[in-house]
Amino acid sequence: MTAYREVRVRTPLILKILPVVSIAAFFCLWEFVVRSGIVPETMLAAPSTVAELFLVKLRETDPDGALLQQHAWVSIQEAFTGYFLSLAVGIPLGLAMGWFVVAEGLARPVFEIIRPIPPVAWIPLTIFWFGIGLPGKIFIIWLGGLVPCVINAYVGVKMTNPTLIQMARTYGASDWQIFRQLCVPSSLPMVFGALQIALACCWTNLVAAELLAADMGLGFMITMGRRLAMPEMVVLGMVMVGLTGAVIGIVIDRVEKKLLAGIRR
Amino acid sequence: MSSNIANETTCAFSDRRPWTVGRVLKSRPFLYAVSLCCFFFGWDYLARTLGTEGSSSLARPAQVWTALQDLYVNELAEHKLLGHVWASTQRVLIGFSIAAVLAVPMGLFMALNRYVNAIVKPLFDLLKPMPPISWISISILWFGIDETSKVFIIVIGTFVPCLLNAYNGVRLVEPELYDVIRMLGGNRCDEILHVCFPASFPAIFAGLQISLSSAWTCVLAAELVSARSGLGYIIVQGMNLSDPAMVMGGMAVIALVAWGTTLIVTALEGYLCPWKRKIAGL
């Protein structure tokens, strides 16, 4: 962007105030709608009730049998095991598929068969195979994270500048050298993109896996909230899932910015 | 990608060397065939060896095919196979259309007007990190277990990618394009009509593709939790009857239908915005 002069733009005051106002208005409206009885309390809990339950759940195991932090910890464990397994399998596979014809020829058809099946659809089969324990859930999460990893690593390698590849060939680089020293580094931004996308997928699938078969975890807490007709627990579970996911996303974003400082614009 | 010309020359280049055994072994169609054969025979072998103890947990491909034919002819909960497919597709289409009609204009509007952005963005950031599937419970509390709750889940799941991509599509338009239209004497209206919309079209379509696959995930999750029709229901019935052939048949149909809808959107994209640059591969 050297063609542009750096211009300092002062954001008007109203643009700074509006976001705060809009969030405040959202919560006030929510609280008001529930308190005034427009929406019955059996359907939606007021934010204050949710906050109250949050404080209570940190200390008490009733009525779903575990503390809030235990639920969250179980979920994080499952999500991260599945996430790292999918990274460990998906990224090398995608990179290899992008460069080596044999790898692509062998892996692509099977991948194309599996790709359109939503990971959620695997849940019944997983229950047949693994029961409702930890391995089953990790399998679902792994499947969910795998697809974006493979696709992004593949596209990252395919988008390597062909001029550079031709140049490397001219200088007599071997296939393996080109792959290692040219394709892999140039695909890094896409691969890091995959880290974010795969995490979001893993997190979604975690909730799905826990909704159907679990005895602990945030998704299980949401299900229990529905079964016990406690909307405050459902909302608390949703907020916790969203919050944890957002925090992990921010951490990954930071790491990415540090590692790829020179590559991305 | 500043290397478009190089890309084209690579594509136009064709190999005229004679076919040798080594080349045949490394050619794509041959490898694809090998891979598919390995997949199906490996599956069949696994199913046979695992399934000897009576209670098999994996169905053989032939059994899946028979189960599908059976579903096609006989009724399951008042619907034949095509009826279930249509039930799911209908939900996806309704939810997807509602979300697309609401989210795309809103995303464009957010990107074009910073006051709208200042109001909507924080709310959106608040709701964005919640996985759509976590809304299932609350939607059942709100709407019961009929169609509305399923459509609601799909709308929630498809809204986010549609809106985000429309928003980013406009924001990431190259500033040089605006400069060109201003040089030619265009006003704000020309900028929006001739630069923003066409330039953000590929991104919007990418968003539609993503949200379509998200919609299939959502509809399945919703049907797994509670439904009396649809592809998710077939899978759940298969699970309850511990009939892996039915489950896998359901999964195969889902893969087929989801793939078909993706193809339709891709075709639509090629028709509506031919100026999109193609990236080789997926």
Side-chain angles (χ1 to χ4, degrees), chain A residues 42-54:
Chain A
T42 48
M43 286 171 80
L44 188 65
S48 53
T49 327
V50 175
E52 224 171 276
L53 185 73
F54 172 74

Side-chain angles (χ1 to χ4, degrees), chain B residues 53-65:
Chain B
E53 299 96 39
S55 64
S56 76
S57 52
L58 191 66
R60 297 177 58 177
Q63 288 171 326
V64 173
W65 180 242

